[in-house]
Structures are given as C-alpha cells and as structure tokens.
Amino acid sequence: MKNFKLFTLVIAIAVVIVSCHLKRDKLVNSWKVTAVEPKETVSDSTKNAILANGTLTFTEDGHVTGYLLREITDGTYALTQKGKKLVIKDEVGTPYVCESTITDDQLILDTKEAKLTFSKI
C-alpha cells in the first residue's frame, strides 16, 4: 500500500510538471497588446500608449523584456498553479502577479488594475 501511495504521488508530481512545462512552451515568444480593459480609472493617453507600444517577450530561460507602462529590460517570470498564474518581476525585483490564460496565439493577463490581451507576434 505504501508503494502505491508513493507511485501515485510521483505520477501526480509528473503531471503538474508536464502541465506547467506545456504552458511555458506556449508562453515563450513575443506578444503584442491588442486590448486593454482597465479596472481603475486610466486616461485615454495611457491606454493608447499601452496599445501602441505594449509588448512582452518571454524566453526559455525565464527572462522577460518589453514595454507596458514603462520599459522592462531585464525582468524574470514564473508560471505557477499549472500555468494559471504568471508572476513577472522587473529589474529591481518588484513582482507583478497576474491570472493568466495562455493559448497558442493569445495571452490574457488579468490583474487588479486591468485585463490585457496579447496576440503572438
């Protein structure tokens, strides 16, 4: 019985690792902001700047670069909760936590401030 529980635990861990890896594979790419749905008051100029310049590029080694409200030159990222949560840290280590939906050609990042939709470049 003990061996069965251990085997079940190992299989469960393997499933979680594979699931996160598959989401990470879909995330690794360059993305362009295509929609901004603010949850707080945002000026039209800020929203338009995000739409015009907003991009993120995720690499296999866990780094992210791009532009949202400001440039991200050497950030890092991590996917958790089977790819449903994305944490982006900027150059100084400030974490930005997002609920994430990742498909083959679309990325949706939902934060307390806004919901951003990206398309693969």
Side-chain angles (χ1 to χ4, degrees):
M1 188 65 158
K2 228 178 195 180
N3 287 338
F4 179 73
K5 287 181 181 179
L6 180 60
F7 178 73
T8 304
L9 178 63
V10 169
I11 294 297
I13 290 170
V15 167
V16 168
I17 290 171
V18 168
S19 175
C20 286
H21 186 69
L22 291 175
K23 290 291 186 181
R24 186 180 183 106
D25 286 347
K26 287 183 180 182
L27 181 62
V28 172
N29 214 314
S30 293
W31 301 87
K32 171 80 175 121
V33 175
T34 56
V36 177
E37 298 174 38
K39 295 179 181 176
E40 299 176 349
T41 304
V42 174
S43 70
D44 285 340
S45 63
T46 299
K47 183 178 174 181
N48 290 336
I50 294 170
L51 283 169
N53 304 311
T55 61
L56 291 174
T57 299
F58 298 92
T59 62
E60 283 188 39
D61 64 356
H63 286 88
V64 61
T65 58
Y67 180 89
L68 290 176
L69 287 176
R70 62 178 189 80
E71 190 171 13
I72 301 170
T73 57
D74 188 28
T76 59
Y77 72 93
L79 280 172
T80 61
Q81 297 182 0
K82 297 182 183 178
K84 293 181 181 177
K85 188 165 289 217
L86 175 66
V87 179
I88 298 173
K89 290 185 179 180
D90 63 14
E91 296 80 9
V92 295
T94 305
Y96 300 94
V97 180
C98 313
E99 295 296 321
S100 58
T101 304
I102 307 165
T103 66
D104 289 333
D105 59 353
Q106 191 175 61
L107 168 65
I108 299 171
L109 300 181
D110 197 354
T111 69
K112 61 183 176 183
E113 296 86 12
K115 181 177 178 181
L116 302 172
T117 302
F118 296 78
S119 292
K120 206 174 262 190
I121 300 176

